[in-house]
Amino acid sequence: MSNSAVFVPHFHWDREWYEPFQVFRHRLVTALDTVLETAEANPDFRFTVDGQMAAVEDYLEMRPENRDRVAALVGEGRLAIGPWLILLDEFLCSGETIVRNLRMGWAAAARLGGAMPIGYLPDMFGHVAQMPQILARAGIEHAALWRGVPGSVEGHAFRWRAPDGSEVRTEFLFDGYDNGLDVLLVPDRIGRALGDYAEMTADRWGTDPVLAMAGTDHNAPDPHLAAWLRQASGEGRAITMATLDEYLREHVRDEVAAVVTGELRSHVRGNILPGVLSVRLGLKQRMAVAERTVDHAERMNALWSRRDDSPFLSLAWHKIIESTAHDSVVGSGTDETCDQVAARLAEAAQTARAVRDAALTEPAGLVPSDGHLVANPLPFERTTLVEVEVAAPPAGTRLVATAADGSAHPVQLVSEAPTVLSDERMDASRLERVLRRIHRRELFGRLIDHYDLSPGSLVFHLAEVPSGGPFDLLILRKEVAAAAAAHPGEWRVLTLEEARATALVPVRVPASGLASFRVEPRETPAAAPASYAPSTAADRTLSNGLVEVTVGADGTLDIAGADGTVLRGVGRLVDGGDRGDSYNYAPPAHDVLVQDPAEITVDVVEDGPLRSRLRVTRLYAWPVALSGDRDLRDGRTVPTPVETLVEVRAGEPFVRVSTSFLNQSADHRLRFHVPLPEPVTTSSAAGQFAVTERGLTAEGGWGEYPLPTFPAGTFVSAGPATVLLDHSSEYELVGDGSELAITLLRAIGSISVNIHPLRDEPAASEIPVPGAQDLGMRVENRFAVVPSATGWRGADAVALAEEFRGDVLVTRGTGPAGGQLPADAAGLRVDGQDVLVSSIRRVTDDEFGNGTEVRLTAMRDSAVTARVTGAFSEATTVDLLGRPLSRTEAANELELALGPWEIRTVVLR
């Protein structure tokens, strides 16, 4: 039994949770004031600031005068800060966001003296498979964590191995991050208590000193701690106070026998609270939108703009990363906290959108104003469909889209807009008031092309792009005043817009590149390209030659792939009660599952040839809530129509599906089922730089029932069914592996419940959160289903998921109307099967100058060569913190040999 112990004073700081951010910050300032005063009064005192710089930044924003005091303690090694910007939920953000979190935290810590080189992850609800590689490629050799470690780990440390083989020595906080507090309960009995604890846990420690984490949530250690420990040390115990970094560098052995590979999601030594994956759907969707928008903004800014908007992009990233905190995006906070998270994510997306749109204004200036610019954010060439508003074709003509190379393609009209925007009658004396609506040339969001003025009549003709001559508002005012004086009495004022339509246009866009087109009428329509079969719609069937979908009598879908794979009954909706909380799902003891609709209607919405759509409306009777004892669903029901829009597009090997309904029920869980042709024993889910394989069960233990509900980021696959996802989602293989179930909504009413049937202890206080019921909210989900006998690998799901999520960007040209369309322009191109490009961005280095940073990952268990082509002459391989590793000359082409699951970052100049 170890006779020594190392105490690590710290706190764990949830930035926002059962109180909003500013309330917790007020407590934070008080706590860190105490820490600084204690450290300056006692040279032996050490403190670890929870591994996240957000706490330090939030403090210094209120106490800027203390910056030098903090830096002095960091410089002396007595205050350990960083390396993260914030302690995140690893499964509810992208892998790229995890990297940016580490980079921004490391940089912030460097400005105060340097980061703690420990991957400290004390309270996350499980850990992603690639975290060891992320840490190792940032030069970090150690991690420390609590939740998710499997029961095979018997000691207090293990080697944590990523799928690529990278490893970090990992300290297992098997008794939590507050295990030292019980020893400190009676200050003058610390020696005895420590001895008892060391004896109880002796098998864990071996000859290493006991690690006593002396801290908990939202509280600074007692200022007398150092004195207490000195007294206890004088009683025969070797007691040391240290930062976590000092403990791992100076007090333990690096040699560890136990090895754990991949993600950590075991329940055996701590609750991982998997219900956070599906509660407060809106936050998960906002996170996906914000991440996608800032990613596209960085790519557009790096490739197509002369302006460096890095400060705006950094702001957007900071707000996203703040929102990834493990009590933020998870949705386990109060309603006001979650409202703030949603607003922060919206602000991040808005900031990024401004950068993205500004970057496109430069190339849009080369496109005539009667044309459109299309930008492809993905680093491979693609043909896609875009929707644009155009002038409706004259009778007897068809619309075609003409590309810069002169090729023409048919378009599909999907709607037509009314041409009469207003028809008013008024006295001549009021005509001047009508003119107040005009702002220079704009009226009702359009531009005045010309006007007709005759006795008793004023007609405005509006257009998106005026074809007439100049317009002078002052002349119009004079003319109208004269006409009104000459012809008093009633006038008619008519505002007409040119006949408008919404057109669906096929566009071929180069890798990371730009293309343009204009839509114009022709008497003879262009021939359809031979590269794709048209999409078609019948009463209950859609087809495009690659997939065919048929709506069954029960409203579910039979989906057939080109290889003969058929998925039957896709989209069966199953609604059940949920008496759990924001952390854990729990069915009521007497659940009622509603899965059969009372009515079904099917309507053809669009009939090709580019896009075909059916709308399936199913009417369900869902119970309004749980009964008073929460173990029975209420007998009262509310009729709820669920609309499912089913879509196939020419050339796409998958079926797009979106569901929408107005939620009028509380305390329930709704899931979308994909039955499988044969039962399976494993699933594969993509996210955070890996595709993780999981079984039908989860490892149990501790005090939490191990529900096998798992996270998926960009797709989830089981057997021949792959589902492409719009946002991080929860899924489960049910029916002994015969069905894949994806959660569409989990509506609950409490942060935590004191008595939970699937969890022994409360996860928090029992605080009502009526907003988490999503009552009165329209709940929408979108995904795509890929049938393929060869699974996600044969279906090329990595690329398909990027195409599904990464829509092209479209904007109207701003150059002179009627001009020549500019030639297509390519940006960076990346070739390689299952190679994911998670980032393309502008970087600046004081030594090497400006460059474009590209991050790639081999999303497969075998090596692959990635080929990067573009305008560059050299490439520098850097680590995940941006530090150069090696340089090579590369004349517009670079080949990278990627190992299985390897993350590689290069800067091109």
Side-chain angles (χ1 to χ4, degrees), residues 396-542:
T397 63
R398 299 285 185 89
L399 292 179
V400 298
T402 304
D405 62 3
S407 61
H409 307 283
V411 305
Q412 176 182 332
L413 292 184
V414 295
S415 66
E416 294 195 38
T419 58
V420 179
L421 300 185
S422 70
D423 187 353
E424 306 166 274
R425 295 187 182 275
M426 64 187 66
D427 188 80
S429 62
R430 296 184 57 203
L431 289 178
E432 173 61 27
R433 298 185 180 184
V434 171
L435 302 185
R436 296 177 190 171
R437 302 170 182 169
I438 302 171
H439 301 278
R440 289 168 290 281
R441 193 167 191 162
E442 180 271 328
L443 176 61
F444 297 159
R446 294 284 189 249
L447 299 178
I448 297 174
D449 184 79
H450 63 281
Y451 59 89
D452 298 321
L453 182 61
S454 59
S457 174
L458 174 59
V459 182
F460 293 106
H461 297 271
L462 310 184
E464 188 171 6
V465 180
S467 59
F471 170 80
D472 192 321
L473 180 57
L474 294 179
I475 292 177
L476 173 63
R477 289 184 184 278
K478 290 181 180 181
E479 292 178 349
V480 168
H487 304 282
E490 185 179 77
W491 277 64
R492 184 187 186 191
V493 179
L494 189 62
T495 306
L496 303 177
E497 182 179 15
E498 61 183 341
R500 305 292 297 174
T502 299
L504 200 61
V505 181
V507 184
R508 186 73 172 172
V509 197
S512 303
L514 305 176
S516 60
F517 67 90
R518 61 161 53 93
V519 176
E520 51 196 0
R522 282 194 184 177
E523 293 184 3
T524 303
S531 58
Y532 67 87
S535 68
T536 60
D539 288 345
R540 287 177 171 261
T541 302
L542 303 175

Side-chain angles (χ1 to χ4, degrees), residues 149 228 514 564 617 619 776 871:
V149 178
W228 296 344
L514 305 176
T617 305
L619 181 66

Side-chain angles (χ1 to χ4, degrees), residues 40 65 202 207 315 333 365 394 480 484 495 518 520 548 609 630 642 796:
E40 290 167 345
E65 68 276 10
T207 59
L315 174 63
V480 168
T495 306
R518 61 161 53 93
E520 51 196 0
E548 180 173 288
R630 299 188 58 75
V642 180
D796 200 15

Side-chain angles (χ1 to χ4, degrees), residues 404 466 488 593 732 824:
L593 298 181
E732 181 181 2
D824 292 354

Side-chain angles (χ1 to χ4, degrees), residues 653-726:
F654 50 80
V655 178
R656 295 173 181 258
V657 180
S658 59
T659 61
S660 174
F661 62 92
L662 183 68
N663 184 46
Q664 304 170 79
S665 300
D667 311 315
H668 69 126
R669 180 181 69 173
L670 178 67
R671 301 208 282 188
F672 182 98
H673 284 240
V674 181
L676 305 173
E678 299 288 341
V680 298
T681 57
T682 61
S683 63
S684 299
Q688 298 84 34
F689 303 127
V691 180
T692 302
E693 186 172 292
R694 305 180 177 111
L696 298 178
T697 60
E699 184 180 34
W702 200 242
E704 183 178 56
Y705 184 81
L707 280 176
T709 52
F710 297 112
T714 56
F715 69 78
V716 56
S717 185
T722 298
V723 180
L724 312 179
L725 301 168
D726 175 67

